[in-house]
Amino acid sequence: MVFKPFTHLARQSFGKTLTHGYAQSVVAATQSSYASSTTPFGPFSTHAASKFSKHGSSQFHNTLQHPSGTIASGGQQGSVQETSREDGGLAAYYEAWQRQQRNHGSGKEWKQFQFPLRIGWNAQNALADSKGVDKDNALLRPDALLDRSNLDRAYSTSAVDDIKKAEDVIAEAAAVAEVDEAIAKEISSLQPSLPSSSLTPDVSARITPSGSGSSVVTPGQHQSNTTNPSPYSLPPTGVTLPTSQSPTLTDGISHLREAGRYAEIPVVFESILASGIQPSITDYNELLAAATASPAAQHHVVSKALNIYTDMLHRRITPDAAFYTVLLELLSRRAIEVYQTKAAMNIKRRRYGTSAPDSNFLLPSDESEYAILAADDALRHAIIIFDAASSSPQLKALSPDVYGLLVSACALHGYDEDMIRIHTHMEEHQVIPLASMFPPMIEAFARSEDLRTALRCYDGYRSLAIQHDAGEKVLMGRYDYSVYAAVIKSCMGCGRSEAGDRFITRILESFDNGTEEGRARLDFARDIIVTDGLIQHQIDVHRFAEALNLADTWNLTPGARDKALAHICSMAADHGDKATAIKAYQLVKATPANMSVTALSMMAMHIRYGELSEACNYWSVLYATPNERDSLIEPTTMYAIALMTNGQIGEGLTHARQAFARIRTSATTAAAREQIKEKIDEVIELFGNVLGLPQSRLSPHAAMNLLGAMTENNGLVSPMSEQLLAGLGAQEIATLSRQDTVLALTIEASMISNGAFLQDVAHVARFEHLLDVVTQLGLTLDEMTLENVERSLGQVESQRPGVIAKWRNARQVARPSPHAPLLGPPATSLAVNANLSHAATFDPYAGTTDHRGSNMILDVLEKAPSRRSVNLDKALSQFWNMRRIGRHPRYIVYSKLITVAALEGRANAIFDLLGTARQDVPLQSQYPLVREGWSSILDSMIGACLTVGNRAAASEFHQELLQLGSTPSANTFGLYITTLKESAQTLDEANEALDIFCRAKQEGAEPTSFLYNALIGKLGKARRIEDACFYFSEMQRRGLRPTSVTYGTMINALCRVSDERTAETLFDEMEHMSNYKPRPAPYNSVMQYFQTTKRDSRKVLEYYSRMLSNHIQPTMHTYKLLIDTYATLEPINMPAAEGVLDTIRASGQRPEAVHYASLIHAKGCVLHDLAGARMTFDAALANSEIRPYACLYQAMFESIVANHHVEGIEGTLEDMATRRVELTAYIANTVIHGWATAENISKAQNLYQRMGMAKREPSTYEAMTRAFLAVNDRQHAREVVEEMRSRGYPAPVTRKVQALLEHAHS
C-alpha cells in the first residue's frame, strides 16, 4: 500500500490556469524574439487568467529551449531584471510605438538587438539516423512548439492593431525596429557594467549570459557565433535568411505528415531553423497540422497554434488559405466548446450549489475551471485573424466550414455585428453556406429582439433550400427541422406566439401527404419542432408547467416524449419548481437513460430543500441506474454531505466510499482514472472541511471509513489523515473491527516509516498499542503491511526498547488469503493465529451480530410478494440503520437481501450488499461458521447475477465459491438452466441444460425438484421426450416427489410430441397426488394439445370443466383456448365464442387483444368471412380498453391472405405504422406469403429487407425462401439460405429450409 501526500487541485490548477490562456497571442506578431526570454513573469499579471493563479517561484517549462530542457537564461540575471524593472519593458515598448506613430513610419537608421545564439538541435545528427530518434524525448512531442507562454497578452492587442494600421510593409518593419531598439536600450542598461571595448569579440561572446546579454548590430553588420542557434529562436530582424529550399528537410516534413508521424515534425522543423534556413509556408502548414493532431486538450492545441501563427508573422511569411482555414476552424471550434462547457457548468452550479442565484460550485476546482473559461478569448482571436485573412490581397475567400463555424460561434457568444460582417463577407465572395449556421443565427437575432431580421434569415435559408431541392448546389447540408424550431423559438421569445402557432401549423401540414413516408417525416418533424422549439422556449423562460403541458398534449413519439419529459423534470428540479418536477418524473418512462437524468436532479432538489428522506429514494434509483460513473462524483458528494450535516456521518461516508469505488472502476483509461482520483481527493478534503476537522472529532468507525476512502483512492490526504489518527486512543481502537484495526496499523506504520513520529510522539505509542491488539487478536498481515511494520520497528526501537523482540515472538507470518474480494473496497487479508484453538461452532462476529434485527428484516422480506419492491426498501432501511449503530445482521440476511434485490432488477444493489458484507464480516476461512455463511452469500450472488443476466460475474463468484471448498446449490444450477438466453434462437438450450446438470453432479450438488424441473422443461421444449422421461424417472428414483410444476412440465413436453396417452396418465396422477397444488398451466397444456393437435372440442371442454371443478381460476390463455375451440372446431359455435368475452367481463377482468385476434382469425380463416373479420378488427381498435397489439394485425393479415385479398395488405400496413405497432416476424411471414402468392416478389423482398437481420427468425427465412422458389428465383433463395446458415442455428432447424432449396433443384 503506497501512501503519498495529497496535492490539492487548487495547487495543481496553477499550471492549468496559465496554459488555458493563449500564452503567446496574435499581438506578439510585431515583437522580436527577445520578448519570450526577457519578459519576466510579472507582466503576466495583466492576463485575465492570472487572477486565478498563485504568484511565486513557479517557472514555465519552455519546450522550445535547449533540447536538454534546461533554461538558457541565467537565473541571477533574470532576478536583477525583475527587481530593477517590474514593467518588463512595457513602458519602453509603448514609448517607441508612440514615437513611431508621430513619425508616421519615417525612415530612420535603426539597430537590431540580438541575443547570443544558444546551442540547439544538430540537424545533421538528427537526420543521419532517423530510427534513433527517442520517442520519449520532449522534443518529439507535438507540444514542443514555439511555446512563448510567458509573453504578456497586453502586447497582443496593440501589436495586431499596429499591423492593421500599417500602410505598408516598410512602415510595419520600421515600427518593429523602433520597438527592438527601445527595449534593447533598456535591457542593456540593466546589464553589468563591462566595457565592451576592453574585451575581444570572442571573450565578450563567452562571458555574456545566454539569454540575457545582448549585442547591437546594424543591418549591414553580421555577427558570427560559434554556437548553434536555439531551437525556434528567432533571427535578427535585419538579417535576411535563405528560404527553405533544402529538399531533405522540407520533403522530410511532408513525408512525416503523410505517414502520420506528427510527433516528429517539430524535430525536423527545429533542424530547418538550426540550419539557418527560412521556413516556407508549407513547413508552417505541416507544423500547424502536427499541433492540431496533438492528443492534448484543445486549449493547449489552440495555444500552440497561435504560437506558430505569431512566429510566422514575425518571420514575414504570409499565411495561405490552408493555414488560415486550419487555424480559424480550430479557434472557432474552441469558442463553441467554451460556450457549451460554460452552459453545462452553469447547470451543474445551479444543481449542486445553494439556492442563491450567485451560488458557488460544489467543488473549488469547478470554480477555477469556470473562471478560466470565462476569460477565454479564442473567439476574439479568431475574429482578429479573420480580419487579417480577409484583408490579404492574395486570399479572396475562405472555406465554407470556416464561415459556418465563425458565424455559429459569434451567434452563440452574442457577437452579432461580427456575425453579420462575416456572413456578408461570405455572401460577397459567393461561398456556399453551411446549413448548420442558420439556427444559431436566427436565435441570435431573436435574443436581440430583432424578429424581422431573424425572419429574413429564415427566408434566406428557405430560398436556398428550394434551390437545393431543385438540384442546385447552393447549400451544404440540410437543417430544416432545426431551422423551423429556431423560428418558433424566435417568435415566442419576441412575444409573437400567434405567429409561431401559425408557422408550426403550416409546417406540419406540409408533411402530411397521406403516404407512409410522409407520416414518418411528419412524426420526425413534430418531435424536433415541438421539443426544440415550443418546449425549449418554455424551459428557457422557466415556465416549466407550460412545457409539461405541451409535452403531454402534443402527439409526440414515445421516445421523444420521454426525452422531453426527462428534460423538463431535470430543469424544473434544478430551478426549484418542485410540483412540476414531481409530476414530470411520474410521467416519464423508467428507462436507464431517463432515470440517470431525472433521479439526479430530483435528488439534488430535495437536498437543497432539506428533504433528506425523499432524497434517499432518488439516490437509490440513481445508484441502481447504469450511467456515466464520473458524473456521479458531484451527486455522491452532495448526498454524502447532506447525510453528514444531518448527523448520519457514518452512513454518508459509507455511501461515498462505495460510490467512489464504482466510479474508479468505470474509468477506461489510466489518464481518466487519475483525473477521477484527483477529483475524489478534492471531495475527501471537502468532507474534512464539512466535518469541521481538526476542531471536531469523528467516531472511530467514521474516521476509519474516511481513512479507508483515502487509501483506496490516491493515498492519504495530509494533514487530515494525521488529524483522524490522532483521535484514535486505546478506547477507540478497542471498538474497531478487525479489518479497521489492520488498516489503522497499516496507516500508522506507513506514517512512521516516513518519519511522522519525529513531529508527533503519539504516533509511536499508538503504533505499539496497535501491534499489541493485532497480536492479541491473532491477526496476521499481508506482505506489504508486514514490510511497513518491520521498517517502522527499526525506527522506533530507540524509543520503545524490546518492541521488536515482542513483535517477532508474538506474530505468525501468514500468507495472503487466496479468496481476495472481487468487488467492493479492497479488504485486508486476515488470518487467525494457528496457536489459538476454537470450537467448530465459534463465530468471531457473534459479538456484533444483531439477531433480533436480522429476524425483523427476514420477516419483512417474506411478506406479500406483490409488494416485494416496497418490502425490499423497508428491509434495506432497517439494514442501514443497523449498520449505523455499529451492528450487522446474520449471514442469511445478506443472502436474502441479495436474492430479493436481484428479483427486483437492482443489479448495483447486489454488489453493494456484497461489498458491505466484505466489510462487516470479512471471510476467515479457518472458522467453519464463517465459511458456511460466506458459502450462502456467494451462492446467492451467483443466483443474483444469473437473474440480472450477468453470467460473466456469476462465473467469477462460482470460481470463488469453489476455491472456498464449497459448491453452488442445486437451485442455483437450476437458475443456470432457466436463465439460458436465446441468442437470436441459435442456442441449443437442451444440450446446454444437460451440460449444466452434469456439472452440478460433478461438483457434488444434490439435485432438487427445481433443478429437474428446469432440465425437463428445456428437454421438452426441444421435443427430446425420451431424455425428459428418463430424468423424470431418475427424479422419482432419488426419492424426490414431483410437484405440480414437474407434472405440468412433463405434460407439456408429451403434448408437444403428441403422446396423448402418457400425458393423460400423468395428468390423472397429478390430480391424485397428496401434495397437489392446483395450477392452471397443466390444464392449459392439455387443452391446447386437444385444440390444436387432436382437434377434439369435447376433450377441450372436458378439461376446462375439470379445471373449474378444482376451483382453479382460468387464465387469459385459457379463455383464448375456449374461443379457438368454439370458433374453429366442429361443431362451430360462433355465438359461444363471442360469449367468452362476456364470461371474462363477468369474472371481473377485461378481454385482451389476443381474444379479439382469435375471433378475427376464426371469422377470416375458418369461416372465410373477411367482412366480419374486418368488423371485429375495427371494433377492437375502436375500443379504448384494447391496445393495438401485433396479434390483432397478424390475425387480420392472415384473414386477408386466406381470402386472397392481397390488395388490402398495404392499407393495413400503413395503419399499423400509424399506430406504431411493431412489425413482428410472424406478420412478415404472412405478408411475404401473401405477396408471393400474388407473384409480387418485389414487395415481399422489400418487406424482408425492412425486417433487418436481427428480427429475422427461422420461419422468416423459410417464408422468403418459399417466395423466391415460387417465382423460380433460385439464386436469391440460395442467398437467403446461406444467410440463415451463417446465423448459427441448430442443424435440424437449418436442414428443413435447406431441403426446400435442394428439392427445387431436383
Side-chain angles (χ1 to χ4, degrees):
M1 186 178 296
V2 180
F3 299 92
K4 63 181 183 179
F6 172 70
T7 304
H8 191 266
L9 290 177
R11 296 192 294 273
Q12 294 178 348
S13 64
F14 175 57
K16 182 178 180 182
T17 301
L18 298 176
T19 55
H20 264 71
Y22 311 119
Q24 169 133 357
S25 57
V26 188
V27 195
T30 58
Q31 299 180 16
S32 56
S33 62
Y34 62 80
S36 63
S37 56
T38 60
T39 304
F41 185 71
F44 218 102
S45 60
T46 61
H47 191 286
S50 66
K51 294 181 292 184
F52 316 110
S53 60
K54 294 183 179 180
H55 298 278
S57 60
S58 301
Q59 299 286 343
F60 282 105
H61 178 68
N62 192 339
T63 59
L64 305 178
Q65 294 171 353
H66 191 277
S68 64
T70 58
I71 300 177
S73 60
Q76 295 178 355
Q77 186 64 32
S79 63
V80 171
Q81 292 181 4
E82 186 170 354
T83 55
S84 61
R85 181 170 52 87
E86 296 181 355
D87 65 349
L90 183 59
Y93 172 84
Y94 184 71
E95 180 183 356
W97 180 82
Q98 285 184 321
R99 186 166 59 251
Q100 170 62 24
Q101 297 301 310
R102 288 193 301 269
N103 296 334
H104 300 289
S106 59
K108 178 183 178 182
E109 182 67 16
W110 55 273
K111 296 181 181 180
Q112 169 63 40
F113 172 79
Q114 180 184 7
F115 272 92
L117 300 179
R118 295 168 289 181
I119 299 176
W121 178 265
N122 192 327
Q124 296 179 353
N125 294 340
L127 297 177
D129 185 8
S130 60
K131 296 181 179 180
V133 178
D134 185 6
K135 300 292 187 299
D136 294 331
N137 195 292
L139 289 171
L140 299 185
R141 300 194 309 267
D143 59 351
L145 304 172
L146 296 173
D147 186 5
R148 307 174 190 278
S149 55
N150 50 354
L151 272 178
D152 189 355
R153 192 182 300 233
Y155 291 160
S156 211
T157 305
S158 59
V160 172
D161 292 339
D162 287 346
I163 293 176
K164 294 176 62 179
K165 294 178 181 179
E167 296 180 356
D168 51 26
V169 178
I170 298 175
E172 178 185 343
V176 173
E178 290 288 340
V179 172
D180 291 341
E181 182 180 7
I183 300 181
K185 288 180 179 179
E186 185 168 355
I187 295 179
S188 300
S189 65
L190 298 175
Q191 304 302 317
S193 179
L194 292 175
S196 58
S197 58
S198 63
L199 301 174
T200 64
D202 292 340
V203 174
S204 178
R206 286 196 298 270
I207 67 174
T208 303
S210 176
S212 58
S214 64
S215 60
V216 179
V217 294
T218 64
Q221 292 175 326
H222 177 72
Q223 180 181 357
S224 62
N225 199 310
T226 58
T227 60
N228 293 329
S230 170
Y232 295 92
S233 59
L234 301 180
T237 308
V239 179
T240 302
L241 293 179
T243 59
S244 175
Q245 299 182 3
S246 173
T248 304
L249 298 178
T250 303
D251 294 345
I253 290 182
S254 300
H255 293 158
L256 289 174
R257 183 184 182 185
E258 293 173 359
R261 297 161 60 184
Y262 294 103
E264 301 177 29
I265 290 178
V267 178
V268 181
F269 191 86
E270 281 193 61
S271 303
I272 293 176
L273 297 181
S275 301
I277 300 173
Q278 177 82 332
S280 66
I281 181 59
T282 303
D283 298 332
Y284 276 104
N285 284 338
E286 306 295 356
L287 187 62
L288 182 61
T292 56
S294 170
Q298 194 174 22
H299 61 271
H300 292 298
V301 176
V302 167
S303 181
K304 298 169 195 172
L306 288 173
N307 293 337
I308 296 172
Y309 177 65
T310 301
D311 187 79
M312 202 175 161
L313 294 183
H314 178 74
R315 297 178 191 276
R316 294 178 175 79
I317 298 176
T318 304
D320 58 5
F323 188 93
Y324 277 126
T325 297
V326 175
L327 183 57
L328 287 174
E329 284 188 10
L330 176 66
L331 293 173
S332 302
R333 294 184 192 279
R334 171 59 181 169
I336 294 173
E337 179 193 29
V338 167
Y339 177 85
Q340 295 171 345
T341 306
K342 287 175 62 179
M345 294 190 72
N346 280 326
I347 294 176
K348 184 187 295 186
R349 172 164 56 185
R350 180 176 292 276
R351 180 174 297 163
Y352 303 118
T354 62
S355 301
D358 56 345
S359 62
N360 295 327
F361 287 93
L362 182 63
L363 300 178
S365 61
D366 289 337
E367 195 79 39
S368 177
E369 177 73 14
Y370 188 84
I372 292 172
L373 291 173
D376 188 278
D377 48 5
L379 182 57
R380 184 177 62 83
H381 287 160
I383 294 173
I384 293 174
I385 295 174
F386 172 80
D387 292 339
S390 60
S391 62
S392 174
Q394 295 86 4
L395 189 64
K396 293 185 178 180
L398 297 168
S399 69
D401 288 338
V402 171
Y403 287 108
L405 290 170
L406 273 174
V407 168
S408 299
C410 290
L412 293 174
H413 286 268
Y415 288 26
D416 292 353
E417 295 182 0
D418 295 308
M419 175 186 70
I420 296 173
R421 184 164 52 84
I422 295 170
H423 186 267
T424 303
H425 187 275
M426 179 192 70
E427 289 183 332
E428 290 175 351
H429 291 80
Q430 298 180 352
V431 178
I432 300 176
L434 291 181
S436 59
M437 73 182 186
F438 284 91
M441 282 181 65
I442 295 172
E443 294 187 22
F445 289 126
R447 284 194 295 270
S448 302
E449 297 185 355
D450 189 357
L451 182 60
R452 184 184 302 273
T453 307
L455 294 179
R456 283 206 304 266
C457 184
Y458 164 71
D459 291 338
Y461 176 84
R462 181 174 177 271
S463 176
L464 293 174
I466 294 174
Q467 298 177 54
H468 186 268
D469 290 338
E472 299 181 29
K473 190 175 182 181
V474 294
L475 190 64
M476 298 185 66
R478 295 294 290 270
Y479 274 74
D480 296 4
Y481 305 125
S482 298
V483 169
Y484 298 150
V487 171
I488 292 169
K489 284 183 64 178
S490 301
C491 292
M492 298 295 178
C494 295
R496 297 290 302 278
S497 58
E498 69 285 351
D501 293 337
R502 290 195 304 269
F503 180 81
I504 190 173
T505 302
R506 188 171 69 252
I507 290 298
L508 295 181
E509 287 177 351
S510 66
F511 287 103
D512 192 4
N513 56 7
T515 64
E516 181 179 354
E517 181 182 359
R519 280 190 289 269
R521 291 184 60 194
L522 174 62
D523 290 341
F524 188 71
R526 184 192 298 113
D527 289 345
I528 295 180
I529 293 172
V530 173
T531 56
D532 295 350
L534 293 176
I535 296 177
Q536 186 59 48
H537 168 71
Q538 300 297 341
I539 292 176
D540 292 342
V541 298
H542 302 168
R543 291 200 290 262
F544 304 107
E546 289 81 351
L548 180 60
N549 182 59
L550 289 172
D552 211 18
T553 54
W554 278 91
N555 187 23
L556 301 176
T557 60
R561 180 177 182 272
D562 288 335
K563 185 177 180 181
L565 288 174
H567 185 45
I568 294 170
C569 174
S570 177
M571 298 307 295
D574 291 341
H575 289 80
D577 190 346
K578 187 190 299 185
T580 305
I582 294 175
K583 185 176 180 181
Y585 183 83
Q586 294 171 348
L587 292 175
V588 72
K589 186 178 180 180
T591 62
N594 294 334
M595 291 298 101
S596 62
V597 176
T598 55
L600 192 150
S601 300
M602 294 295 288
M603 183 200 73
M605 178 189 69
H606 285 294
I607 290 178
R608 292 196 304 270
Y609 280 102
E611 299 165 348
L612 189 56
S613 58
E614 288 80 0
C616 293
N617 298 329
Y618 292 106
W619 167 257
S620 301
V621 174
L622 177 65
Y623 197 64
T625 303
N627 47 37
E628 296 180 4
R629 289 301 169 194
D630 56 348
S631 65
L632 280 179
I633 293 180
E634 283 84 5
T636 299
T637 305
M638 188 179 192
Y639 181 64
I641 290 177
L643 290 174
M644 294 176 195
T645 54
N646 200 43
Q648 305 176 29
I649 297 176
E651 185 173 352
L653 292 174
T654 300
H655 282 299
R657 185 177 178 183
Q658 293 175 351
F660 290 158
R662 291 177 54 194
I663 293 170
R664 282 190 298 269
T665 57
S666 68
T668 56
T669 62
R673 190 175 299 108
E674 286 303 316
Q675 291 179 358
I676 290 175
K677 286 183 176 181
E678 289 179 359
K679 205 161 189 177
I680 293 176
D681 274 342
E682 184 181 8
V683 172
I684 291 175
E685 185 164 334
L686 181 61
F687 286 168
N689 297 333
V690 171
L691 295 173
L693 297 177
Q695 288 77 14
S696 62
R697 295 181 61 179
L698 301 181
S699 66
H701 176 71
M704 294 311 302
N705 232 336
L706 195 52
L707 287 170
M710 296 180 193
T711 58
E712 292 162 9
N713 187 58
N714 220 14
L716 295 178
V717 178
S718 181
M720 192 189 308
S721 54
E722 290 87 347
Q723 297 164 1
L724 292 173
L725 275 182
L728 296 180
Q731 295 181 353
E732 289 76 12
I733 293 175
T735 63
L736 296 180
S737 65
R738 286 170 166 78
Q739 185 178 4
D740 286 345
T741 302
V742 174
L743 178 61
L745 177 62
T746 305
I747 296 173
E748 192 63 79
S750 177
M751 286 186 173
I752 290 178
S753 62
N754 291 331
F757 69 98
L758 298 176
Q759 287 79 26
D760 186 1
V761 294
H763 282 291
V764 178
R766 190 181 305 108
F767 175 69
E768 184 178 14
H769 180 70
L770 285 168
L771 284 179
D772 293 339
V773 173
V774 168
T775 55
Q776 291 172 7
L777 294 177
L779 302 177
T780 305
L781 315 173
D782 56 32
E783 294 180 0
M784 183 173 295
T785 304
L786 283 173
E787 183 180 348
N788 282 334
V789 169
E790 295 287 349
R791 190 184 306 114
S792 303
L793 286 171
Q795 298 186 15
V796 303
E797 172 67 17
S798 59
Q799 300 185 26
R800 292 292 192 274
V803 67
I804 296 180
K806 181 172 64 173
W807 162 252
R808 292 180 177 173
N809 291 334
R811 77 173 179 85
Q812 173 190 5
V813 179
R815 298 177 181 177
S817 171
H819 311 293
L822 298 178
L823 296 170
T828 308
S829 175
L830 301 177
V832 178
N833 194 326
N835 296 328
L836 302 177
S837 60
H838 299 279
T841 58
F842 177 74
D843 183 0
Y845 306 114
T848 54
T849 302
D850 189 343
H851 294 276
R852 183 173 176 273
S854 300
N855 294 333
M856 293 174 63
I857 293 176
L858 292 175
D859 292 340
V860 171
L861 293 175
E862 292 173 359
K863 288 182 179 179
S866 59
R867 305 185 72 245
R868 186 168 54 201
S869 178
V870 177
N871 295 338
L872 176 61
D873 292 335
K874 184 176 180 180
L876 287 175
S877 177
Q878 294 179 357
F879 172 75
W880 291 115
N881 289 335
M882 181 188 301
R883 294 189 74 252
R884 193 177 298 119
I885 61 176
R887 309 279 285 177
H888 60 81
R890 293 155 48 197
Y891 302 101
I892 188 61
V893 173
Y894 292 103
S895 304
K896 189 67 176 178
L897 284 171
I898 290 171
T899 301
V900 177
L903 293 175
E904 285 299 304
R906 303 186 186 182
N908 292 325
I910 64 178
F911 293 105
D912 294 339
L913 289 167
L914 175 67
T916 304
R918 293 192 191 277
Q919 293 180 12
D920 296 342
V921 286
L923 174 62
Q924 300 187 58
S925 56
Q926 63 276 13
Y927 295 119
L929 276 180
V930 178
R931 189 167 60 250
E932 180 182 353
W934 268 99
S935 297
S936 67
I937 294 175
L938 293 177
D939 182 65
S940 65
M941 280 301 300
I942 298 171
C945 291
L946 292 172
T947 302
V948 299
N950 192 347
R951 298 183 78 85
S955 299
E956 294 178 2
F957 290 118
H958 192 144
Q959 188 63 30
E960 184 179 0
L961 185 59
L962 293 177
Q963 292 176 356
L964 187 60
S966 186
T967 186
S969 64
N971 288 349
T972 301
F973 280 108
L975 283 175
Y976 269 113
I977 296 175
T978 58
T979 56
L980 285 173
K981 300 297 181 183
E982 297 182 357
S983 179
Q985 295 188 352
T986 62
L987 178 66
D988 190 349
E989 297 184 16
N991 287 333
E992 191 74 18
L994 282 173
D995 292 341
I996 294 172
F997 185 81
C998 293
R999 181 182 178 185
K1001 286 185 174 181
Q1002 291 173 359
E1003 294 185 4
E1006 187 66 26
T1008 60
S1009 59
F1010 178 75
L1011 178 57
Y1012 276 107
N1013 293 343
L1015 175 62
I1016 294 171
K1018 294 298 182 183
L1019 294 173
K1021 183 179 179 181
R1023 290 180 170 81
R1024 296 172 59 169
I1025 195 60
E1026 294 84 0
D1027 292 333
C1029 291
F1030 171 80
Y1031 287 104
F1032 181 72
S1033 301
E1034 181 184 281
M1035 177 181 179
Q1036 293 176 315
R1037 288 196 303 269
R1038 285 180 172 270
L1040 296 174
R1041 300 179 61 181
T1043 63
S1044 58
V1045 177
T1046 311
Y1047 280 107
T1049 305
M1050 279 300 302
I1051 292 169
N1052 185 46
L1054 291 167
C1055 290
R1056 283 176 177 267
V1057 296
S1058 301
D1059 191 347
E1060 173 186 345
R1061 179 172 300 181
T1062 308
E1064 289 193 281
T1065 301
L1066 285 180
F1067 198 96
D1068 294 337
E1069 183 179 328
M1070 176 191 70
E1071 286 190 323
H1072 292 88
M1073 69 179 186
S1074 58
N1075 62 337
Y1076 173 61
K1077 292 182 179 180
R1079 295 176 62 252
Y1083 293 90
N1084 289 341
S1085 298
V1086 177
M1087 290 172 63
Q1088 183 170 349
Y1089 167 71
F1090 283 110
Q1091 190 270 325
T1092 58
T1093 305
K1094 301 299 290 184
R1095 311 290 294 172
D1096 188 345
S1097 61
R1098 182 183 59 83
K1099 297 290 286 187
V1100 175
L1101 297 176
E1102 176 187 334
Y1103 277 97
Y1104 177 67
S1105 299
R1106 292 171 66 173
M1107 182 180 189
L1108 296 178
S1109 64
N1110 285 318
H1111 306 289
I1112 300 175
Q1113 175 66 39
T1115 64
M1116 289 299 172
H1117 185 56
T1118 310
Y1119 291 122
K1120 178 189 179 302
L1121 293 174
L1122 272 181
I1123 294 174
D1124 291 337
T1125 301
Y1126 287 128
T1128 62
L1129 301 183
E1130 295 293 339
I1132 294 178
N1133 189 351
M1134 189 58 66
E1138 293 178 339
V1140 175
L1141 300 180
D1142 297 329
T1143 304
I1144 297 174
R1145 296 187 183 97
S1147 65
Q1149 304 177 79
R1150 294 178 180 178
E1152 297 180 351
V1154 67
H1155 303 123
Y1156 286 94
S1158 295
L1159 291 173
I1160 295 170
H1161 176 82
K1163 292 180 180 180
C1165 299
V1166 178
L1167 301 179
H1168 294 283
D1169 180 9
L1170 183 58
R1174 172 66 70 175
M1175 186 180 300
T1176 304
F1177 176 75
D1178 293 339
L1181 293 180
N1183 190 344
S1184 59
E1185 296 180 353
I1186 305 299
R1187 294 190 60 183
Y1189 284 109
C1191 61
L1192 282 172
Y1193 287 92
Q1194 181 182 340
M1196 194 64 230
F1197 283 121
E1198 290 172 352
S1199 301
I1200 292 173
V1201 173
N1203 288 274
H1204 307 289
H1205 188 69
V1206 293
E1207 59 270 15
I1209 290 179
E1210 289 186 297
T1212 308
L1213 278 175
E1214 292 176 2
D1215 182 72
M1216 182 177 173
T1218 302
R1219 298 178 185 275
R1220 298 186 181 89
V1221 179
E1222 182 183 6
L1223 177 64
T1224 64
Y1226 303 105
I1227 294 177
N1229 299 345
T1230 303
V1231 176
I1232 290 172
H1233 172 66
W1235 273 325
T1237 304
E1239 296 185 354
N1240 195 339
I1241 193 64
S1242 60
K1243 290 186 177 180
Q1245 189 173 7
N1246 289 337
L1247 185 65
Y1248 174 79
Q1249 297 295 340
R1250 177 181 165 188
M1251 284 287 295
M1253 183 182 293
K1255 292 186 178 181
R1256 294 171 191 160
E1257 296 187 0
S1259 60
T1260 311
Y1261 291 109
E1262 180 180 354
M1264 199 64 226
T1265 303
R1266 290 182 182 274
F1268 281 127
L1269 293 178
V1271 295
N1272 294 322
D1273 190 351
R1274 294 183 176 86
Q1275 177 60 33
H1276 282 94
R1278 185 180 299 106
E1279 293 176 359
V1280 173
V1281 173
E1282 289 301 323
E1283 180 184 312
M1284 180 182 180
R1285 293 178 61 185
S1286 67
R1287 297 287 300 277
Y1289 290 108
V1293 178
T1294 58
R1295 194 179 300 121
K1296 176 183 177 181
V1297 182
Q1298 193 169 3
L1300 296 174
L1301 188 62
E1302 295 172 353
H1303 178 71
H1305 281 291
S1306 62

